[in-house]
Each structure stands twice: as structure tokens, then as C-alpha cells.
Amino acid sequence: MRDAAVVLLVFNEIEGLRALWPRLPVGEFREFFAVDPGSTDGSIEFLRERGVPVVPQSIRGRGVAFRVAAEASRAERLIFFSPDGNEDPDDIVRLDDLLLGGADLAIARRFGPGAVNEEDAEFLRLRARVNETFSVLANRLFYRGPRVYDTINGFRALRRQALLELQTTVKRFPIEYQITLRSMQRGWKIAEIPTKEGARIGGERKAASWPVGMDHVKVFATEIQNIRMLRES
Ligand SMILES: Nc1nc2c(ncn2[C@@H]2O[C@H](COP(=O)(O)OP(=O)(O)OP(=O)(O)O)[C@@H](O)[C@H]2O)c(=O)[nH]1
Ligand SMILES: [Mg+2]
């Protein structure tokens, strides 16, 4: 049994949960629970019927969900999984293995050699290009280790104490970017596995591209300020 928790990040994902359930490695982990800000499509009932604890969050947002998970868990390591079809359940164990092998932050990357993202077949690949730009900036300004290809993907794992130590503040989507930038600032070891991003299975996307993109810019700007303050103090 792995001394880790798989955390399902769920907000109205009943179709994804139904489709992926048979593939989730429930028995292999000491903890397996969901964080949910108030789904109304039967996701909560689906999980509870199968014995999966659902931790409620009173304020919406993935950033809040990350912190709620860290407070609720007692496991050594946390693997965050979004059951909407984008992420491959087989990668859950692989991410945990990266931590066991000494990584501080493990990310399933949708870019770089051997990886596939949802937009690879499209002509403009707008979302992918914006993502890649954020990663290039992060590597240039914050990191001296080997290149990190996907600084933004939510499919990732880290030690629970490490997440608490980072004292994240983001409430919504750019939580992952803040975690990566703060890990980079500390010189933590970041390891990636190439992944194949699947298409959304059902339900609705919660991340509207434009506001979420702007939120990433704000996080980037704030973290640059933090670095300046650290250097000057
Ligand atoms: N616990 C929790 N989960 C959330 C919240 N907002 C979104 N999620 C989940 O986070 C995952 C990612 O959200 P998506 O809407 O799929 O965002 P995305 O992956 O950028 O968009 P798509 O490409 O359309 O899938 C999904 O599993 C959502 O259900 C939240 O406030 N709390
Ligand atoms: Mg998604």
C-alpha cells in the first residue's frame, strides 16, 4: 500500500467519473478521496456510494481545493487527479513513483518529446502556445535545473508537507503555476513524465481561456516580486 493520497478534483464531472471509475487505482493508496465545491450532477452521490470520502470546500476554486486536500489528508504524498477525461489514470502511479525516486514535484507533461496535448492536431494551437510561453518564461527566470516542459498542468504530485510549506495563495486555476514557480525558486527537483492528454468526456469546462490566462500573468508578476524581495532581504 502506498503512503500517499489520490485526490480527485471534482466539480460536476459525473460523466468522467462513470467512464474512468474502473481504471482508478483505488486499493493501491492509503487514502483516496475527492474535494468538491458543491457538485449538483450526482458526482458526490456517485463517489459516496463507492466508499470514496468527499471533502467539501466552502469557497470554489482549484487553488482552494489543493489546500483543503493538504489539510484533510494525513498521507505523506498527494497526487492530484481531475476525472474529466484529460488525464490518464495509469499516470497516477507513475507520478507517485517519481516522488519515491526523489523528485519534489512530479508533473505529467503535455508538451515536449513523446507527449501529446489536446490541440496537437489543430492548426493554430493557441492554448498550447500560451502554455508553452508560460513555461519558457518560468524556466528562464526561475530555474536552473533541467527544462520543465509543462509548468501548468494540474496532473501532478508532491509531498503534503511541501505543499503546506509553499504557502500558496491562489484561489483558482493558476494554483499549479504558483506551485511550480515556488518550487523552482527553492531549487526543488522537478521531474516530468510525458503524457497523452485526452478529450473532455462530458460536462463543461470550468476554465475560461482568457480570464485564466490573465490570472497566470498575475501569478507570474507576483512571483517575480517575491524573488526581488527575497534577494533584497
Ligand atoms: N474541487 C474542485 N475541482 C474543480 C474546481 N473547478 C474545477 N475543478 C475540476 O478541475 C478539473 C479541471 O477543470 P476543467 O474545467 O476541466 O479545466 P481544463 O482542464 O482547463 O478545461 P478542459 O480542457 O475543458 O477540460 C476538473 O476535474 C474540474 O471538475 C473547483 O473549484 N474545485
Ligand atoms: Mg480538463
Side-chain angles (χ1 to χ4, degrees):
M1 175 89 55
R2 289 167 182 263
D3 184 15
V6 176
V7 182
L8 303 180
L9 296 169
V10 177
F11 185 38
N12 290 331
E13 300 293 1
I14 188 64
E15 287 101 334
L17 282 170
R18 279 206 191 103
L20 297 170
W21 178 255
R23 295 187 56 211
L24 298 179
V26 184
E28 284 182 53
F29 289 84
R30 190 177 124 189
E31 294 179 14
F32 194 99
F33 64 94
V35 180
D36 186 300
S39 291
T40 51
D41 67 346
S43 294
I44 297 176
E45 295 75 5
F46 178 94
L47 289 164
R48 291 212 166 122
E49 278 162 19
R50 282 154 187 82
V52 178
V54 179
V55 182
Q57 53 179 117
S58 51
I59 302 169
R60 247 192 83 179
R62 275 175 66 94
V64 176
F66 269 66
R67 290 186 286 278
V68 166
E71 297 292 340
S73 172
R74 286 292 158 265
E76 203 218 355
R77 307 178 301 276
L78 303 171
I79 303 110
F80 291 93
F81 180 77
S82 302
D84 64 357
N86 296 152
E87 303 175 359
D88 179 351
D90 292 344
D91 288 337
I92 293 174
V93 164
R94 292 186 191 123
L95 288 174
D96 192 37
D97 284 345
L98 285 185
L99 296 185
L100 289 171
D104 298 302
L105 175 62
I107 303 175
R109 62 170 169 80
R110 302 158 297 173
F111 310 105
V116 177
N117 78 82
E118 254 192 314
E119 282 186 345
D120 274 346
E122 290 172 26
F123 173 59
L124 280 171
R125 295 178 68 246
L126 260 181
R127 190 195 63 141
R129 277 168 202 257
V130 172
N131 268 283
E132 282 165 333
T133 308
F134 280 119
S135 289
V136 167
L137 287 171
N139 281 284
R140 288 244 173 95
L141 283 136
F142 292 90
Y143 201 46
R144 290 195 187 88
R147 175 170 175 186
V148 179
Y149 284 92
D150 193 343
T151 55
I152 285 174
N153 201 13
F155 196 10
R156 53 180 53 217
L158 74 169
R159 282 178 194 76
R160 193 168 63 85
Q161 282 308 327
L163 179 55
L164 293 170
E165 195 185 310
L166 289 181
Q167 298 193 353
T168 57
T169 54
V170 169
K171 289 201 179 78
R172 295 187 299 191
F173 274 92
I175 180 66
E176 289 87 0
Y177 199 43
Q178 187 178 48
I179 287 172
T180 308
L181 295 182
R182 290 194 173 185
S183 300
M184 285 178 155
Q185 286 168 15
R186 285 163 176 74
W188 288 0
K189 188 176 168 200
I190 304 177
E192 293 178 297
I193 47 163
T195 196
K196 186 172 177 293
E197 187 183 32
R200 189 171 240 298
I201 289 177
E204 273 171 26
R205 150 177 267 186
K206 283 98 203 166
S209 299
W210 177 246
V212 168
M214 288 313 293
D215 284 348
H216 280 82
V217 173
K218 279 184 213 154
V219 166
F220 185 76
T222 314
E223 296 307 317
I224 288 208
Q225 286 294 331
N226 282 351
I227 276 205
R228 281 225 184 102
M229 273 156 40
L230 283 174
R231 279 187 190 148
E232 281 161 16
S233 64

